[in-house]
Amino acid sequence: VLTKEIGQMADNLNTLEANNQDDERIKTAKERYSVLLIKDYLLSKRLSENCGTKPAFIIYFYSNADVCPECVKTGFALSSLRSDYENLRVYAFDLNLDLPLIKTFASLYGVQENQLPAVVVNNKLYTGLT
């Protein structure tokens, strides 16, 4: 249930952001959403280890500062995959948000702001449209 709600929140934020990029309320909502995602990721990883579940985790870092066609295409592809596969967990983070937590999370995987989009699958980093 939580996975579906998080996915719906992501879709709603994407739509709002596409139409009103400069709205401060959207930025605040994205910051709260990002913190929620990190908490969910950590909880899901812990549950996976303790309960023997086998979800697949994808961590996606992007930028909305400039028009990034590769980021847009990657985002659409991941949204489609998320809706098609119940056990797939996709966590998307905008590196332009001024949240040290996101910057730290990105640095754990070696993500560079000038190499976006960046996707982490099974702890392996892929950059650009892959």
Side-chain angles (χ1 to χ4, degrees):
V1 172
L2 184 58
T3 302
K4 287 181 184 177
E5 288 180 22
I6 287 175
Q8 289 171 346
M9 287 176 65
D11 293 340
N12 291 340
L13 277 172
N14 286 336
T15 301
L16 288 171
E17 189 174 41
N19 296 319
N20 302 301
Q21 267 190 326
D22 296 329
D23 191 332
E24 191 64 29
R25 294 173 296 175
I26 294 172
K27 182 182 173 211
T28 301
K30 279 183 71 173
E31 289 172 348
R32 290 181 181 166
Y33 172 74
S34 296
V35 171
L36 175 65
L37 281 183
I38 291 173
K39 288 179 180 180
D40 183 76
Y41 172 75
L42 295 172
L43 176 62
S44 294
K45 290 291 274 188
R46 190 179 214 177
L47 284 171
S48 174
E49 292 166 4
N50 291 338
C51 299
T53 60
K54 300 287 186 205
F57 297 98
I58 294 177
I59 305 168
Y60 169 50
F61 296 94
Y62 66 95
S63 171
N64 276 344
D66 298 315
V67 175
C68 173
E70 290 184 347
C71 292
V72 173
K73 289 177 185 175
T74 301
F76 282 134
L78 292 174
S79 292
S80 177
L81 286 171
R82 184 186 70 226
S83 66
D84 291 343
Y85 296 97
E86 187 176 302
N87 290 330
L88 178 62
R89 307 293 298 237
V90 177
Y91 299 94
F93 300 99
D94 184 349
L95 279 180
N96 291 320
L97 291 176
D98 191 24
L99 282 178
L101 187 57
I102 292 176
K103 306 289 187 202
T104 301
F105 199 56
S107 71
L108 289 173
Y109 296 102
V111 174
Q112 303 293 317
E113 289 186 37
N114 62 348
Q115 296 180 339
L116 298 178
V119 177
V120 179
V121 180
N122 294 328
N123 295 320
K124 182 170 177 163
L125 175 66
Y126 300 90
T127 59
L129 185 60
T130 305

